[in-house]
Amino acid sequence: MNQPPPSSASRRGLTRRQYFSLMSAAVAAFTRKLQADSALSESQTTQDIPEEAIARTHAALFDLWFPQAEINIPDSIRPDIGQIAQEVSAGMLEAFRNSVLLDVLKAMTVPQAFPFYSCLSSASNPAIQEFIHTSGGFGAMAPQYRSQVFNYFFEGRCGEASTQTAMVLREAYLSGIWDLPLALPLAEFSPPQTFVNRPDIYARRNAPQVPPSRLYYDSAQKIIRHKDGPIDYLVIGSGPGGATVAHQLREAGKRVVLLEKGPFVVWGSMTTRSYPRLMYNGDRATSTDNGIIIRSGETVGGGSAVNIDLAFSPLEATIQARIRNWIDQGYVLPQHFSTDRIASAYQWVRDKIQTRTLDESEINRNNRTLWDGAASYGIDPSLYHLNRFPVGGSPSPVNDKRHAAKQLLLEAIEDAGNPLSIIPDATVDEILLSPDTSGGPRAVGIRFHSTSPWTEYGNTLVDPCGLHLEPNVPVNIEAENIVLSGGAIGSTRVLLKSAQTNPILDNPETGRGLVLHPSLPLLGLFDNLVNLSEGLDSSVYVDSFGVSPGFLFEAMSGLPAYGSLLVPGSGKQVYEQLIQYNNYAGFGCMLVDTPSRDNRVLLDSQGNTAIQYKLSESDKERFRIGTAIAVRMMFRAGAKQVVVPSNENLLEVPHFSPMQGTYLTQIDQADLVERNLKFIPNRTVLTSAHLQATNKMGRAEDGAVVSRNQRVYTKEGREIPNLYVMDCSIFPTSVGANPMQAIYTFAKIFSERLIQGIP
């Protein structure tokens, strides 16, 4: 299908519209609570609010976070910036009217709609009294009180919901304000190009040559069949685990069908890395309390297509220590996780994915900060292995990723002799079970529905098997074996949804014990130019503390819209920091967290996945130590100011205000950070991209979901003989570092076992 070329802004980076979608699942949950618990009924509060009143509230919020009258915009460009800001504000309001954020704007207009209104009404704070007693709420109250309302909300005097409200609004407005239309002229940087100039033409020229499909759709019976006989394996999910399994089984002569929830992007037509449309929940996901920003891939290639690609060998000490513990605890069978077997499988991964070792000459100025800071601190920095082309060596002008789809799936689907059949845009709803000859359950297939494909830029492969499925119509596929490889979120979702109609799968441990490697990013301001968008974005890490106490340091970068979320303080303060964008460097502290049964992936009341997570006190203690070390390294690297993304009172400031950002200017202030950082949700920004351990492997009597042969247990602890899981959800604990290379490696070993015949 022909598509018009994307705008110049979207070719250069992420569009403003995509950053407006930062509103998370937590916002939806919050608004449902707002509607259920509001002090007045819908008809009394938000149903009949005049559009102009909501517009005034929006304008007041926009001005709070981008106060043009207060910030030092040069007179020569002030009219131009004012015009752009007006257009951005109008676009944001239009987007918010069509999102769950509209309910939050309504509550800011009619405060009686807040579930914590009774608390607000009893407050003696003058700003809160002005807020709740002014007709029109936030948009009509005296401007001098607006920041004080946010102070009060952030302080949490009316509970976690008020703190969440403040952070949700802060994230929404800053991420929209500091996207490209305003960030480009104000921060004066050059964002990376996201799309080729004509992605539609590029995609037609470079699309894989798919042979005639061996699948056909029986529309009368709503079932998909294989022309050559029974399907040997259905693989659900196309990330490192699923792609490896599908590739290896097909190569062994098996008939394999691979289903993927996300779109099939033609490689090279765009930078798939961290692109919202290719992410779980449109890159809008957070933990249920909005305390941790969650990032996970949802496209052909899975996480390997969207992550930064920080590749840790499974032979690294941090990972080997965890594997030895798994063996000692009896979680895994030692013969399958021996060092020799892992080394052999990993060599296959390196050869197939073409993982390369970096050279010190590839360290850019941003990554040099972590390298120099670690060396000055007395610990050894390391260079990543990357699944990427060298700078300037990619056949694509915009994409340098050697991800699972490119390296494993493309050759498999182009093989005319026994092609791998891929069905993208397919959401699996249920595993179909039937009694086997022994009376126990056996998987016989799946039920799924297709979704409307993403065709905005004409660079996706739509319906490569020519099935012509109608969106949202349930369809069945039967198979001899099923392998779940949807990751910690996707595989858990399938098991939980299936348990609703198959009680035998209702294992109370499914989804529990989530590990997500929470990360706290730091920013360092330098006298010299850093230009963090130049060169290789990530090349350096430090794992000296990976085994004990259990945290790593990793170089990071991001566009101003991301940076705006990390800078605490008022809109004016955020502006004053981001106009120095080119002088900032960044790296983060990643915690190797410990499993807790209460941390989990679950289904909410609407049947959607939700991520429930809280840091334990012992993990917070280790995380504080790591954060303090990171601060010291940043100063040792030469930073004159360090920004911790928190509006907690880290520096013990008298009469502290959460809306007044405080930044570190001396290295000994790291001691205060270590003493005072509490990781309060919606006060301190944490991120995660490594969800693991939701369907743990082990013995049934120990509460595992998956057996040591990687078969799913029934509720009673019996193995389902042909239903397997191969992804990071089966890890018994954290694997100890970025898990992608370990997933490839474990999937290679698992595939060999399948081919040889798991007993």
Side-chain angles (χ1 to χ4, degrees):
M1 176 179 178
N2 272 341
Q3 296 288 334
S7 67
S8 59
S10 62
R11 286 201 303 268
R12 296 295 296 169
L14 304 184
T15 67
R16 176 161 39 97
R17 176 177 49 193
Q18 290 152 357
Y19 272 112
F20 292 159
S21 72
L22 187 66
M23 296 305 86
S24 65
V27 184
F30 168 73
T31 54
R32 285 195 294 272
K33 179 175 176 59
L34 182 152
Q35 293 161 354
D37 299 345
S38 60
L40 300 178
S41 70
E42 175 73 7
S43 61
Q44 292 173 300
T45 55
T46 61
Q47 190 175 43
D48 300 319
I49 299 176
E51 291 290 319
E52 56 269 24
I54 296 173
R56 283 195 299 270
T57 295
H58 163 74
L61 287 164
F62 190 93
D63 184 67
L64 178 71
W65 296 111
F66 192 65
Q68 296 179 65
E70 300 176 26
I71 56 182
N72 187 26
I73 301 173
D75 291 340
S76 59
I77 64 170
R78 183 174 286 276
D80 300 301
I81 297 301
Q83 179 61 37
I84 297 172
Q86 184 177 351
E87 294 171 0
V88 168
S89 177
M92 290 175 70
L93 179 57
E94 179 184 357
F96 292 163
R97 288 188 190 279
N98 297 304
S99 77
V100 294
L101 191 69
L102 179 61
D103 289 311
V104 185
L105 293 180
K106 287 180 177 180
M108 291 296 288
T109 306
V110 181
Q112 290 89 343
F114 278 120
F116 48 87
Y117 175 73
S118 60
C119 173
L120 295 176
S121 64
S122 64
S124 59
N125 186 291
I128 297 300
Q129 289 301 308
E130 171 82 4
F131 173 50
I132 65 175
H133 288 119
T134 300
S135 177
F138 196 83
M141 67 184 295
Q144 65 267 27
Y145 285 127
R146 291 171 183 165
S147 183
Q148 296 177 46
V149 169
F150 270 78
N151 273 332
Y152 194 89
F153 278 23
F154 270 126
E155 288 169 352
R157 297 187 187 185
C158 289
E160 294 179 358
S162 72
T163 309
Q164 182 175 332
T165 299
M167 183 56 85
V168 160
L169 289 168
R170 185 181 200 275
E171 290 175 342
Y173 278 88
L174 286 178
S175 62
I177 289 165
W178 284 98
D179 198 20
L180 299 184
L182 279 169
L184 282 173
L186 293 177
E188 296 182 327
F189 69 105
S190 298
Q193 185 175 345
T194 301
F195 291 89
V196 296
N197 287 328
R198 282 297 301 265
D200 53 339
I201 294 175
Y202 183 99
R204 289 198 297 273
R205 177 182 294 167
N206 294 280
Q209 301 303 304
V210 181
S213 176
R214 303 295 176 88
L215 300 182
Y216 68 94
Y217 176 49
D218 184 334
S219 59
Q221 298 189 41
K222 300 291 189 294
I223 190 168
I224 293 172
R225 306 183 192 276
H226 200 289
K227 296 176 181 178
D228 300 335
I231 296 168
D232 295 312
Y233 286 90
L234 279 177
V235 181
I236 315 303
S238 64
T244 301
V245 171
H247 176 278
Q248 291 296 96
L249 292 174
R250 187 212 60 85
E251 197 170 68
K254 307 298 183 182
R255 287 187 285 272
V256 183
V257 177
L258 176 67
L259 284 85
E260 167 57 50
K261 191 171 185 284
F264 192 158
V265 174
V266 174
W267 189 89
S269 62
M270 65 176 293
T271 298
T272 53
R273 190 162 57 249
S274 301
Y275 192 81
R277 180 58 180 79
L278 310 180
M279 307 284 279
Y280 165 66
N281 211 25
D283 203 18
R284 303 188 304 270
T286 71
S287 54
T288 52
D289 64 0
N290 198 56
I292 301 178
I293 298 171
I294 306 292
R295 314 194 78 187
S296 181
E298 203 165 87
T299 184
V300 173
S304 72
V306 303
N307 60 20
I308 298 176
D309 217 342
L310 314 183
F312 279 78
S313 164
L315 300 173
E316 294 273 357
T318 54
I319 297 178
Q320 281 292 303
R322 269 72 188 183
I323 294 174
R324 286 193 297 271
N325 177 259
W326 296 352
I327 294 172
D328 292 344
Q329 296 298 321
Y331 299 142
V332 301
L333 296 172
Q335 63 268 33
H336 304 310
F337 287 84
S338 68
T339 302
D340 288 346
R341 187 149 194 189
I342 288 173
S344 175
Y346 186 53
Q347 187 57 53
W348 177 89
V349 173
R350 295 202 64 175
D351 293 343
K352 200 69 183 174
I353 309 300
Q354 299 184 41
T355 304
R356 69 185 184 91
T357 304
L358 298 182
D359 184 86
E360 191 173 344
S361 63
E362 296 181 84
I363 303 176
N364 69 4
R365 280 171 284 190
N366 180 51
N367 284 252
R368 177 64 64 179
T369 301
L370 178 55
W371 182 276
D372 293 345
S376 177
Y377 192 78
I379 52 180
D380 293 327
S382 300
L383 292 169
Y384 282 113
H385 296 170
L386 287 184
N387 299 331
R388 289 162 67 173
F389 289 95
V391 174
S394 173
S396 165
V398 297
N399 196 6
D400 62 355
K401 294 278 294 183
R402 297 183 184 272
H403 57 60
K406 182 183 190 303
Q407 301 302 118
L408 296 173
L409 298 181
L410 293 185
E411 67 177 66
I413 67 174
E414 290 185 320
D415 178 16
N418 180 26
L420 171 67
S421 300
I422 294 185
I423 306 177
D425 308 302
T427 300
V428 176
D429 298 309
E430 181 185 352
I431 299 165
L432 304 176
L433 299 177
S434 180
D436 66 11
T437 54
S438 66
R442 183 178 184 84
V444 295
I446 61 156
R447 179 169 294 122
F448 79 98
H449 68 272
S450 64
T451 55
S452 297
W454 181 49
T455 59
E456 184 175 359
Y457 298 117
N459 67 328
T460 52
L461 204 61
V462 177
D463 192 17
C465 292
L467 299 172
H468 306 294
L469 302 177
E470 186 179 348
N472 301 315
V473 173
V475 175
N476 289 0
I477 308 182
E478 296 176 352
E480 299 297 308
N481 300 275
I482 297 172
V483 181
L484 297 179
S485 297
I489 300 173
S491 290
T492 302
R493 178 191 175 277
V494 172
L495 290 173
L496 291 174
K497 296 281 282 187
S498 299
Q500 293 177 342
T501 51
N502 295 286
I504 200 166
L505 289 174
D506 190 16
N507 188 329
E509 300 307 311
T510 300
R512 289 188 178 271
L514 168 67
V515 168
L516 50 65
H517 286 178
S519 296
L520 185 142
L522 292 179
L523 301 176
L525 182 63
F526 290 77
D527 286 324
N528 55 298
L529 287 177
V530 175
N531 291 330
L532 57 81
S533 61
E534 290 186 355
L536 192 61
D537 50 7
S538 293
S539 58
V540 177
Y541 71 96
V542 177
D543 66 349
S544 301
F545 305 99
V547 176
S548 180
F551 47 76
L552 294 85
F553 304 102
E554 299 179 346
M556 50 153 276
S557 62
L559 297 179
Y562 176 58
S564 71
L565 307 184
L566 306 183
V567 178
S570 66
K572 180 181 178 181
Q573 288 181 293
V574 172
Y575 169 84
E576 290 169 344
Q577 299 305 314
L578 289 187
I579 59 173
Q580 303 176 84
Y581 173 82
N582 290 321
N583 289 68
Y584 265 109
F587 58 79
C589 175
M590 187 197 82
L591 179 71
V592 180
D593 49 334
T594 50
S596 167
R597 190 171 181 272
D598 291 336
N599 291 337
R600 59 190 296 206
V601 174
L602 68 161
L603 298 180
D604 64 17
S605 60
Q606 309 298 309
N608 301 313
T609 48
I611 299 164
Q612 180 176 292
Y613 186 92
K614 288 188 181 297
L615 282 167
S616 68
E617 291 305 315
S618 59
D619 277 359
K620 288 179 184 178
E621 183 176 354
R622 293 188 296 117
F623 212 172
R624 275 190 288 270
I625 294 170
T627 301
I629 292 173
V631 169
R632 296 181 186 111
M633 289 195 297
M634 188 69 83
F635 275 116
R636 284 179 173 270
K640 64 179 183 180
Q641 174 181 281
V642 175
V643 176
V644 179
S646 175
N647 67 17
E648 299 178 39
N649 190 7
L650 305 181
L651 302 185
E652 301 177 358
V653 175
H655 311 295
F656 177 74
S657 163
M659 284 291 286
Q660 184 62 39
T662 56
Y663 315 124
L664 282 60
T665 57
Q666 302 175 48
I667 193 170
D668 58 4
Q669 289 173 322
D671 298 338
L672 294 174
V673 172
E674 187 171 349
R675 183 163 69 216
N676 295 318
L677 183 57
K678 297 180 175 61
F679 301 100
I680 300 171
N682 296 296
R683 297 287 300 273
T684 294
V685 176
L686 298 177
T687 66
S688 169
H690 304 159
L691 280 73
Q692 308 164 51
T694 50
N695 304 304
K696 293 176 174 54
M697 181 164 56
R699 295 168 297 219
E701 58 267 30
D702 295 332
V705 176
V706 176
S707 76
R708 294 185 293 181
N709 283 320
Q710 295 182 230
R711 296 187 177 108
V712 174
Y713 284 126
T714 66
K715 184 178 181 179
E716 293 78 20
R718 181 174 181 174
E719 285 188 355
I720 299 176
N722 64 337
L723 177 58
Y724 302 93
V725 184
M726 180 53 248
D727 54 35
C728 57
S729 75
I730 67 172
F731 294 174
T733 64
S734 163
V735 77
N738 304 44
M740 181 178 60
Q741 297 293 87
I743 299 170
Y744 276 124
T745 303
F746 298 163
K748 168 62 173 170
I749 295 171
F750 172 69
S751 301
E752 293 170 352
R753 296 172 62 200
L754 278 182
I755 293 166
Q756 295 163 5
I758 293 178

